[in-house]
Amino acid sequence: MAPDKPFPAAPAAPAGEVADDLPDHLFRWSEAVGRRLSREMRAIAPPDLAALGGRRGRLLQMIPREGLRVTDLASRAGVTKQAVGQLVDALEELGLVRSGPGEEDRRVRWVRRTAAGDAVTDQTLALIAGAEDRLRAQVGRRRFDDMLATMRELGREVTW
């Protein structure tokens, strides 16, 4: 077996530019915009909210004010019931949700946001709106709103 040859050095990007050899498709750009929004939010979020973390914060937003079954939350989040159970436990330790047996079926675990969870959700949604406003200002209201409308249309078929 021949020894491995070293990889050739990647060509250098012109000064002030980033070398970009990644594929140009919707997955890449939707992830890039999501990362940018996360970065924008981390820059302005108060430390206690930033410490909540992205996954737990997103899960908290998926819980309606009236609550829902953990199984339904797992389906909504697109993860396993066990993963949601762990996240719910972490949110419960933070005092943002409470969980317990359902009223009609005691075998079912329900989760509801607490008043503190509602406040964190409202604060998070305000931060998202602020980050979106900064992006809207960068590209222009019409272009941003058209992009958002297009994304809503394309994503409408996904069941939450």
Side-chain angles (χ1 to χ4, degrees), residues 5-107:
K5 293 181 183 179
F7 287 105
E17 293 184 26
V18 176
D20 190 349
D21 59 354
L22 295 174
D24 185 24
H25 54 63
L26 185 59
F27 283 119
R28 179 219 175 149
W29 295 113
S30 61
E31 182 178 342
V33 171
R35 287 181 182 188
R36 171 125 185 240
L37 278 170
S38 293
R39 187 180 69 224
E40 295 271 344
M41 287 183 56
R42 279 193 306 273
I44 61 173
D48 59 332
L49 192 58
L52 180 60
R55 205 173 344 157
R56 287 183 284 182
R58 284 191 299 278
L59 188 74
L60 189 60
Q61 292 173 45
M62 292 181 186
I63 302 170
R65 291 192 189 272
E66 67 276 5
L68 78 166
R69 298 179 322 157
V70 168
T71 303
D72 294 333
L73 182 57
S75 176
R76 184 176 274 198
V79 298
T80 66
K81 184 177 145 186
Q82 291 77 16
V84 164
Q86 291 174 351
L87 289 167
V88 165
D89 290 344
L91 290 170
E92 199 160 19
E93 286 179 23
L94 294 170
L96 301 176
V97 301
R98 61 183 174 84
S99 69
E103 293 175 11
E104 294 179 18
D105 185 346
R106 311 272 311 152
R107 298 170 296 170

Side-chain angles (χ1 to χ4, degrees), residues 61 85 128 147:
Q61 292 173 45
I128 292 169
M147 175 198 66

Side-chain angles (χ1 to χ4, degrees), residues 37 55 58 65 70 110 113 122 131 135-136 143:
L37 278 170
R55 205 173 344 157
R58 284 191 299 278
R65 291 192 189 272
V70 168
W110 272 76
R113 290 192 313 234
D122 292 344
L135 297 181
R136 187 178 281 112
R143 287 178 64 207

